[in-house]
Every structure is written in C-alpha cells, then in structure tokens.
C-alpha cells in the first residue's frame, strides 16, 4: 500500500508551462483567456445578482426598463455565472491540469485561443439576447438556440484540443484529477447538446420539457461543476500539504458514483410527472451521499487536520473552504429531497440557498484557490506577484459573503416553507414575514461581489507586473 | 503569509495517491444507502406506469379511486342478479345444460342488435322449441317480470351481453318498460319472439 | 483507471443510464398523451381537456417568458400530502402531465417568490380586466407588501384624442395619468392578460380523480388517455 510514485519527468523539475524568463511565447494564451475572461464574467454575474437582490428592498428599482426586470437580470446573472465563468474556468483549469499531470505541452494552442475568444464572444451575445427578452425560460439554459450553437462550436474547438493533449500524455498512470477533468470535458457537450435538442431545436411535448430542463440543470451542477471543482481540490490539497492522497480506490468510488448518482436527480418530488420519475430522482439524490462520504473521508485522512498548512498557503484556504461548502451543499440537497422535508421546502428559497452555496461557496472559491496558484505561472511570474493584503481581504469577503447569503436564504426558505405548511397563512403574509432574512442576503451578495472585484484588482496588479517584466526583458533584448 | 509559500507550491512534486482499499465503513454505508434508496423506488415508483401519480402507488389504486363507469356499474348489478337466479339453470359459465337451459355464451339471441326479444323472454318467460347455436331446446323458462324491476332486468341483460365471449351493447330499462307495457298473459314461444322486429 | 478509452466508455455508460432514465423513457411514455375528458362531478358534463390556448394567449406565453416571470412564479400544484398547495387554494387537484400537453413553452418555474399561477384564471375575477391590468401596472395597489415589481413599460400613456379609448386601463387615483392623458395597455400587456386567463387546471382527470368526498357525485371516469394500461374498465367487484 505504498504511495504511487510518478516516474521522473524527462526534463527538469520545472513544468512545461515554464516559469523561466522569456517563457511568454510558450504561454498558453488560450488558457489565460479562458481563465481571465471567466474571472471578468464572475464579477458581472455577482453584480447582476446584487442588483436582483436589491430589488427585494425596493421593487421600483430600475423597474421602468424591460431589460432590467428581476426575471431578465436573474436569467442574465445565471447565464453569466454558468457559461461565462463556470465552463471557461472548468476548461481552463482542466487544460492546465492535463498539461501539468501529463507532462506535455498543450496541443493546438492557437485553436484553444481562438475557441476561448469565440466562447466569450458567444456568451456576451447570449447574455445581451437574454436581456433583450430572448431568454428561453428554462432555468440554467436561458441562452437562445442560435447562441447555444455558437457556444457548442467554440467548446468543440477547445475540447478536441484537450482530448489530444490528454492522449499525448507522457505519464501512463492517471491521477484522480485527470479522470475528473476528462469526465467534465465529456459531460458538458453531452448534456448541453441533449438539452439544446430536446428543449429548443425539436422541443418535446408538454411536461417533458421541464423534466429535461431539470435534468440538465442538475447534471450541470452535480456532475459537471462537481467534476471541475473537485479536479482542483484533488490536485491542490495533497500537493500543497505535501502528503499523498489517502486512498486511490476511494477516489475511484467517488468519481463513478458522482457520475452515476449525481446525474440521476433534480426532479422536484411534487412535479407533475408520473411517480416513477420522481422516485428515481429521489433515489439518485439519496445515493449522492456516497460520493460525499467518500470524498470527505478521503480528504480528512489525507489532511489529518493539518491546519498549519492553511496559514502557510493562502490558496489552500479557498480550496478547503470550497470543499467544505461542497459537502454541506450536497448534504442539504439530500435532506431537501426527502419527501417529508421537500413537502415543506420545495419551491421556497431553501433551494435558492443550496444553489448559492454550491455556486459561490464551492465552485467560485475552489476556482479562486486554483487561480491564485496557477495564474502567475501562466504569465511568467511566481506566486509573490499577488498582493497579500488584497488576497486576504478577498478571502474573507468571498467566504463570509457566501456564508451570509447562504444562511440568510436558508432561514428565509425554511421560514417560508414552515409558515406555508401551517396552512392558515396567506401567501402574502408569509412573504411579508420572510422579508427580513431575504433582505439580509443582500449583504452577503454585496460581499461576494466585493470579493470578486478585489480579485480582479489583484489580477490587474499581477498583469501590470507581468507587463513591466515583459517590457524590461524586451529592453534587455534590444 | 510568507511570499515563499506560493513559490514552494509551484516547485512541489505533483500529487500522488496511495493505493489503500476502500474502508469498511464506506462499504457498509453504501449498502445501507442502496437499500434505503431502493425502498423509495419500490414504494413510490407506481409500477413505472405513466398514469400513476403520487399519492397513488399502482394502476389499480388509480382505477379504484376513480368513479366507476355507469355501464360497468350496470354490469356489476346484473352480475348479482345472474348469480342469484339465472346461473342455477344457465350455469355460471353461461354454457347452459342439456335438458335444463340453453347456452347464453355466444348465443345469437343474446347478442342480437336490439334487445327486444330477450327483454320479452325475461319479462314473460319462454316455452316450446327454440334453436340456439344450432341446437334445439324444448324447455320452459319462468317469467321474471313480477320478481324483478325493469332496472334489474336491464342490468342482468346488460351483464349477459358483455360477459364471457359476448360483445353486445348495454340494455336500457326503457326497453323492459316497453315490453312490460305489452301486458302479455303467459310465456311466449320462439315463433312469437321472431315476429318482434329487431331495432 | 489508467486507460483513456475505458474511461470514456465508463462515462458514456453512466451518462446513458441517466439519459435513458430521464430523457428517453419519459419521452416514450408521455409523448403519446392526447386530449382526454375530465371526470364530471355532480351536474357537470365531462369536457375535453386540455383546451388549446388562444393565439393571443400563446403570444402572452412569450411575453411571460421574455420577462422572466418564471423566476418568481411556479405553475404546478402539488398533491395534498406533498405540500400545502391545495390548502392555499391554488387548485382543486394536483397538476399532471396532461395539464401541459398543449402549452408551449412549458414554464413550471422553480421558486415561489410570488404565488403559484397554475390556476390563476380559476381564482381571478375574469370579468374585471381592469384589475388584471392593475396587477401588472402597480401590484402594490392590490397587495400592499408585494415583492412584484411594476411593469409599466407594458403600457403607453397617450394624449386623449377626441374621446377616451375603450381599451384604456383605468388606474386608481394614486396612479392616475395627467389630465388629458389615458393609459393604453400595449399588445404585450393584452397578450399577457390573455395568457393569464388561460391558466386553468380545475377539471378532475383519471390520473387526478376527485377526492373521496366528491366521488359519489361523480358520474364517469373512463380513462381515455393513450396509455394502453389505463384502458381497462374498472374491475367488477367479486
């Protein structure tokens, strides 16, 4: 039961994404565009979410414009997060992991660069279309069909290069991160194309549409984003702590059970569908307790509560807190799916709280942790390029923001559900009484948006340093 | 927060995984979760039918919860009359008995388009030879018009017309009322019945 | 777990399981549904259900979608033991697949920041169109503490020419337009109101029969939907 030892890399210990000076030429610009663009979209998504949150305080806020109604802004914010930040972050990090763990250079860097630019443009057009009233009306798939086709084409450009990179790897043994990356790479086009076909291109009849939409949204979160985020978690936690992952086979179990059970779910228990569909969905959701336990147990044994490492390496904080939030969000999803609980909590803000924690608590924080580790290397700098003060402030803003927003929405949702379940309160009364915690979530949204802005500022600082270094080198060469 | 730490990460060796097997607690948990989840599927899946919605658990439950079709209600009533009275001679399987009663199952008299003739038979009785399904029977049937109401007689006729292999339409009580109004004195014979026009 | 092709095959198999379970099998089971009859209760007659919405209601569904109304409102009623929907009088029965047969797109929503709308036309006073417009123009006039924003961009304020328009919306005094002006609902507002008036799920169906208390008064329930299994008549009592 000894640790798997990687064969010594053929070149020096420096990775191919070299940190040697003058390495900009080999800097995979595509990965950089994906990640940087993603960070920008995250700021936009958080600002739009903040605007929506403010509308709960004053319903007349910007109500005069048709493109700024609550529904439009909410759809735009969701699309910006999922397609502007979520997919590019998953792709960018995934490509980086494949290169790093495979000990090879990125295949088709030009293709990746073009694909990345194309993707971001397509998302921008899509969000513009949503604000102009062309949203599809399906949660998590608001992008209109013609735009979805553009995004799919861009994805194929990047995805094929990723597969070639994976194929070209020089290390035979696969580390869990690579499975998760490949899993995410395959899962997204399959669910995206199915949803586009069945919801928009050749729409199914009647209630089959929401079933497919719920299936897609559940798969996007529970499989695609989980795979993408956990890929980073499995990479960075053992690496930064300096200990091997506790159990390879436990990771195998976690991987396959996330794919199998995480994909079967998402249908609300009271949905207008025959009972077998909701029962299967419930069974799948309950069984997601298995990967949660497997991942939690694996990392608990790996880290053994080594809190010293958290102080030494700030990026680790993001990753660990992200993992914790993934576990909590997953547990809440299971609890909320049980019939007795879902009778009270379905269609209340309870579900909104879980999504908030999953997206901004788990995925965004994990990606931030990864970005803090990766981005300087892409620009030919080292980790000291980040401003420690901004980093620390960003961590507290994002962490507390996600926590406050989550807790406020959770309280609001539970209160809403319990008061409605009593049966003697009118809906208007119930919403009046849950207004206070709902408005508290605005504070959380403000902190989350602030954190994203702080990251952007820090990032701009790093870009500036890279530019100065680049100019200095050009002067030297001249 | 030392500035050395991030640099250390970049140069650190790539992570590795130890090949420990899955711990026992996880195996036990898997078993429990699979059992618990399959309970939900077995109870609430409604037999994977497309018309079973919670809170119903099977197609039978849905059918039972629905009010019964009036024709089916008639058949149920008629069955009770048949089993109490007619089955003694015509048998429960409707095949009749040599020397006791002609068959009803597959009988052209029973399945005739209009029910006028069999309405007269149950109302006033039958006597003399009659050919049913190619065989001749020369027996005597009691009149039931005094024992049963028009509704009951209509129900039993509806029953025999839809039971066994018979596939004819239901009989309305109006038909029996019309037959009763004719006020015959005694049982009729087959030739008399044949003179009744079929609607 | 070191082989790329095996990894791909495993992922494909797991994807296939969920795809078959949630996309293919429901499609095979539910795509054959057709219009059916309601279960008549008391003196009512069975009616064809569902009824296709009018063209204007269809246009209204597009307005509903474009404005993201589904972000705050749901359109599905849960059964009595799975939620308080029936106690809130959002419907007489749960929603079933038949209810959405002729709706395109289907927008059941996911969270209730506003009430459920599946049976809006059964609850609202369908004769008071002005009140329906008021719900869009200034919701706070109807429900004081509501979180619903006003949708005034669905209305035009126009100068009265010669005589007031018959289409005009008459707001309460607090929102009255300046003298000499009137408020005309735009086609989008009219379509949206037509759509709201088409939201009705109040006939009992085979899959959602009347409750015990009303069953004695019901007169028929021949399952006429396309499912072969349901075509059996009720079993005769032994």
């Amino acid at each position: 039961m000894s640790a798997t030892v990687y064969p010594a890399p053929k070149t020096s210990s420096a990775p191919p994404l070299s940190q040697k000076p003058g390495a900009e030429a080999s800097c995979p610009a595509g990965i950089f565009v994906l990640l940087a663009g993603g960070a920008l979209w995250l700021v936009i998504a958080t600002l739009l979410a903040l605007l929506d949150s403010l509308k709960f305080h004053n319903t007349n806020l910007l109500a005069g414009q048709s493109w700024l109604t609550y529904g439009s802004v909410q759809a735009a914010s969701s699309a910006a997060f999922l397609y502007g930040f979520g997919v590019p972050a998953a792709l960018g990090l995934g490509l980086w992991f494949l290169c790093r763990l495979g000990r090879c250079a990125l295949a088709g860097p030009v293709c990746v660069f073009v694909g990345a630019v194309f993707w971001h443009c397509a998302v921008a057009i899509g969000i513009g279309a949503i604000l102009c009233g062309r949203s599809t009306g399906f949660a998590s798939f608001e992008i209109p069909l013609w735009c979805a086709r553009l995004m799919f084409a861009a994805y194929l450009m990047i995805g094929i290069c990723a597969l070639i990179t994976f194929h070209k790897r020089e290390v035979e043994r696969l580390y869990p991160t690579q499975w998760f990356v490949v899993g995410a790479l395959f899962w997204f086009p399959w669910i995206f194309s199915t949803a586009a076909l069945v919801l928009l291109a050749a729409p199914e009849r009647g209630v089959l549409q929401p079933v497919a939409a719920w299936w897609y949204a559940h798969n996007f979160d529970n499989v695609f984003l989980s795979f993408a985020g956990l890929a980073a978690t499995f990479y960075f936690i053992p690496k930064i702590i300096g200990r091997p992952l506790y159990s390879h086979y436990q990771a195998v179990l976690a991987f396959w059970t996330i794919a199998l059970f995480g994909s079967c779910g998402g249908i609300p228990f009271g949905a207008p569908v025959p009972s077998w569909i909701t029962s299967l969905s419930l069974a799948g959701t309950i069984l997601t307790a298995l990967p949660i336990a497997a991942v939690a147990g694996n990392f608990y044994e790996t880290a053994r509560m080594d809190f010293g490492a958290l102080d030494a390496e700030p990026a680790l904080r993001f990753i660990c807190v992200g993992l914790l939030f993934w576990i909590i969000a997953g547990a809440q999803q299971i609890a909320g799916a049980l019939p007795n609980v879902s009778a009270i909590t379905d269609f209340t803000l309870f579900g909104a709280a879980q999504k908030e924690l999953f997206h901004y608590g788990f995925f965004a924080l994990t990606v931030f942790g990864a970005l803090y580790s990766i981005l300087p290397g892409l620009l030919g700098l080292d980790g000291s390029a980040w401003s420690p003060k901004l980093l620390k402030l960003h961590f507290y803003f994002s962490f507390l923001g996600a926590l406050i927003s989550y807790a406020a929405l959770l309280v609001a949702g539970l209160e809403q559900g319990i008061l409605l379940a009593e049966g003697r309160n009118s809906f208007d009364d119930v919403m009046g009484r849950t207004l206070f915690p709902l408005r508290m979530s605005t504070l959380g949204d403000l902190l989350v948006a602030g954190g994203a802005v702080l990251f952007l500022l820090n990032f701009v600082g790093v870009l500036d340093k890279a530019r100065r270094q680049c100019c200095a080198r050009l002067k030297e060469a001249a | 927060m030392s500035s050395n730490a991030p640099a250390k990460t970049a140069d650190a060796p790539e992570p590795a995984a130890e090949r420990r097997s899955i711990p026992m607690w996880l195996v036990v948990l898997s078993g429990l979760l699979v059992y618990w989840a399959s309970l939900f599927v077995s109870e609430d899946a409604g037999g994977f039918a497309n018309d079973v919605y919670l809170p119903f658990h099977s197609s039978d439950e849905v059918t039972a919860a629905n009010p019964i079709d009036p024709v089916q209600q008639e058949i149920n009533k008629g069955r009770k009359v048949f089993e109490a009275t007619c089955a003694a001679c015509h048998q429960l399987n409707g095949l009749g008995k040599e020397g006791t009663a002609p068959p009803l199952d597959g009988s052209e008299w029973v399945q005739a388009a209009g029910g006028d003739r069999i309405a007269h038979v149950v109302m006033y009785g039958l006597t003399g030879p009659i050919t049913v399904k190619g065989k001749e029977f020369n027996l005597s049937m009691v009149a039931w018009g005094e024992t049963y109401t028009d509704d009951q007689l209509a129900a039993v006729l509806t029953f025999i017309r839809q039971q066994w292999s018979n596939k004819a339409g239901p009989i309305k009580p109006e038909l029996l009322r019309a037959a009763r109004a004719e006020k015959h004195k005694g049982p009729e014979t087959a030739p008399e019945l044949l003179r009744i026009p079929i609607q | 777990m070191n082989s790329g092709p095996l990894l791909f095959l495993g992922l494909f198999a797991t994807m296939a399981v969920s795809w078959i379970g949630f996309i293919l099998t429901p499609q095979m089971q539910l795509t054959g549904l057709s219009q059916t009859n309601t279960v008549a209760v008391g003196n009512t007659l069975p009616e064809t259900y569902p009824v296709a919405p009018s063209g204007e209601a269809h246009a209204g569904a597009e307005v509903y979608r474009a404005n993201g109304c589904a972000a705050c409102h749901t359109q599905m009623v849960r059964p009595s033991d799975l939620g308080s929907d029936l106690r809130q009088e959002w419907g007489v029965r749960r929603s079933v697949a038949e209810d959405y047969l002729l709706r395109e797109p289907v927008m059941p929503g996911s969270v209730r920041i506003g009430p459920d709308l599946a049976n809006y036309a059964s609850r609202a006073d369908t004769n008071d169109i002005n009140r329906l417009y008021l719900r869009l123009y200034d919701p706070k006039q109807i429900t004081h503490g509501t979180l619903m924003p006003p949708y005034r961009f669905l209305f035009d304020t126009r100068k009265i020419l010669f005589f007031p328009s018959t289409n005009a919306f008459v707001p309460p005094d607090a929102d009255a337009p300046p003298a000499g002006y009137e408020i005309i609902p735009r086609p989008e507002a009219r379509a949206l109101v037509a759509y709201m008036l088409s939201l009705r799920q109040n006939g009992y169906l085979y899959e959602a029969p009347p409750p015990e208390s009303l069953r004695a008064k019901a007169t028929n329930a021949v399952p006429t939907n396309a499912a072969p299994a349901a075509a059996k008549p009720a079993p005769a009592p032994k």
Side-chain angles (χ1 to χ4, degrees), chain B residues 12-28:
Chain B
E14 300 303 327
E18 299 201 336
R19 297 187 95 82
R20 281 207 188 81
S21 53
I22 296 171
M24 187 45 85
W25 65 266
L26 197 52
V27 174
V28 171

Side-chain angles (χ1 to χ4, degrees), chain C residues 31-181:
Chain C
T31 206
L33 285 179
S34 55
Q35 279 178 307
T36 181
N37 292 323
T38 55
V39 173
V41 176
N43 294 328
T44 60
L45 287 172
E47 300 168 324
T48 307
Y49 186 88
V51 179
S54 69
E56 199 172 23
H58 201 80
E62 292 297 323
V63 177
Y64 186 94
R65 168 159 80 173
N67 281 297
C69 304
C72 291
H73 291 282
T74 57
Q75 282 183 25
M76 50 189 156
V77 179
R78 293 177 293 172
S80 55
D81 58 345
L82 290 179
S84 56
D85 298 14
L86 295 180
R87 269 176 291 156
Q88 287 285 334
E89 293 179 2
W90 282 335
V92 297
R93 59 161 175 85
R94 68 163 297 160
S95 304
V96 295
E98 197 75 39
D99 293 313
Y100 304 94
L101 198 61
L102 298 175
R103 300 210 169 268
E104 166 70 35
V106 179
M107 294 171 289
S110 53
V111 66
R112 288 176 180 152
I113 298 174
D116 185 86
L117 298 178
N119 268 291
Y120 185 76
S122 312
R123 290 201 296 275
D125 180 2
T126 54
N127 293 321
D128 192 355
I129 302 287
N130 210 57
R131 191 174 170 80
L132 297 173
Y133 284 128
L134 181 60
R135 177 75 77 177
L136 293 172
Y137 192 80
D138 192 356
K140 282 201 157 60
Q141 294 289 333
I142 298 183
T143 311
H144 181 65
T146 186
L147 286 171
M148 177 163 164
Y151 285 87
R152 299 195 183 190
F153 53 83
L154 294 174
F155 299 81
D156 279 329
T157 306
R158 279 193 274 193
K159 204 167 163 67
I160 298 178
L161 293 170
F162 310 117
F163 41 82
S165 163
T166 46
N167 284 335
F169 156 64
V170 180
D173 291 335
D175 294 318
Y181 284 80

Side-chain angles (χ1 to χ4, degrees), chain A residues 4 100 235 245 247-248 275 313, chain B residues 9-10 14-18 20 52:
Chain A
T4 318
R100 190 77 181 222
Y235 182 80
L245 186 67
S247 166
H248 166 96
S275 61
E313 175 62 65
Chain B
T9 310
E14 300 303 327
E18 299 201 336
R20 281 207 188 81
V52 177

Side-chain angles (χ1 to χ4, degrees), chain A residues 109-443:
Chain A
V110 176
C111 192
V112 173
F113 177 76
V114 170
V117 172
F118 192 20
W119 174 277
H120 283 301
C121 292
V123 170
I125 296 172
I127 290 177
I130 290 172
L131 289 172
C132 289
R134 302 273 190 278
S135 135
T136 60
F138 298 114
S140 292
F141 203 107
E142 300 91 348
I143 307 270
L145 179 61
W146 47 270
C147 196
R149 289 192 184 117
L150 297 175
M151 286 161 59
F152 192 72
Y155 186 92
L156 281 182
M157 291 171 73
I158 304 172
I160 290 175
C161 296
L163 276 184
I164 298 174
T165 310
F166 177 66
H167 185 70
K168 274 175 39 189
R169 67 190 183 283
E170 294 175 8
V171 179
E172 190 51 46
R173 268 234 153 88
L174 288 181
Y175 180 70
T177 295
Q178 284 161 297
W179 316 325
F180 283 100
V181 168
V182 170
L185 277 176
F186 275 120
W187 218 264
F188 178 75
W190 288 340
I191 57 174
F192 190 74
S193 56
T194 301
L197 181 71
V198 144
L199 294 176
L200 303 175
E204 295 187 302
R205 277 176 100 206
V207 83
L208 293 168
Q209 283 180 21
V211 169
W214 284 320
W215 173 85
Y216 171 76
H218 190 84
N219 267 267
F220 191 98
D221 278 354
N222 285 54
V223 184
F224 176 67
L225 288 185
S226 280
F227 273 171
L230 288 176
T233 313
F234 272 92
Y235 182 80
F236 284 109
I237 290 185
K239 174 162 176 164
I240 296 176
I241 290 179
R243 279 205 285 273
L245 186 67
Y246 179 70
S247 166
H248 166 96
Y249 294 106
Q250 219 167 318
V252 172
L253 179 72
F255 176 70
W256 290 114
T257 47
I258 289 177
L260 186 61
F261 302 131
S263 62
C264 293
I267 318 289
F269 208 60
V273 289
S275 61
W276 70 266
I277 299 178
T278 53
S279 305
L280 280 186
S281 168
L282 174 62
T285 308
I286 287 177
L287 284 164
T288 57
L290 192 47
I292 294 174
V295 166
N298 215 347
F299 283 114
Y300 172 75
E301 293 291 347
T302 305
R304 286 269 174 195
M305 298 295 147
D306 180 8
F307 288 117
L310 284 175
D311 286 326
E313 175 62 65
L316 188 61
R317 283 190 215 174
F318 282 95
I319 310 260
C320 284
V321 167
L323 177 66
L324 195 64
F325 283 160
W326 182 78
I327 294 170
I328 297 175
Q332 186 188 339
Q333 188 171 69
I334 295 169
L338 298 171
N340 294 336
V341 181
S342 77
I344 298 173
T345 61
D346 259 357
F347 312 136
T348 64
L349 295 160
F350 186 85
Q354 195 265 345
K355 269 180 89 161
E356 173 86 15
L357 188 68
F358 190 87
H359 287 160
Y360 291 101
F362 157 64
F363 191 70
L365 284 184
T366 305
V367 169
F368 279 136
L371 288 181
Y372 277 118
S373 302
I374 292 174
L375 276 175
L378 286 176
L379 294 169
L381 301 167
D382 68 20
S384 60
W386 297 108
S387 150
K389 244 193 350 217
L390 280 178
L391 197 159
K392 191 172 184 179
L393 212 56
H394 171 207
F395 174 72
Y396 284 116
F397 267 48
S398 289
F399 167 56
L400 288 173
L403 201 59
I404 290 174
S405 187
Y406 168 65
L409 286 173
L410 184 67
V411 168
L414 285 173
E415 207 177 336
Q416 191 184 358
I418 291 171
L419 287 174
L420 279 173
E422 283 174 8
R424 51 191 161 81
N425 305 308
S426 81
F427 186 81
D428 299 319
D429 276 342
V430 170
M431 286 317 288
R433 283 151 78 173
T434 57
L435 210 51
F436 175 66
L438 184 58
R439 286 179 178 168
M440 277 298 288
S441 76
T442 309
L443 178 61

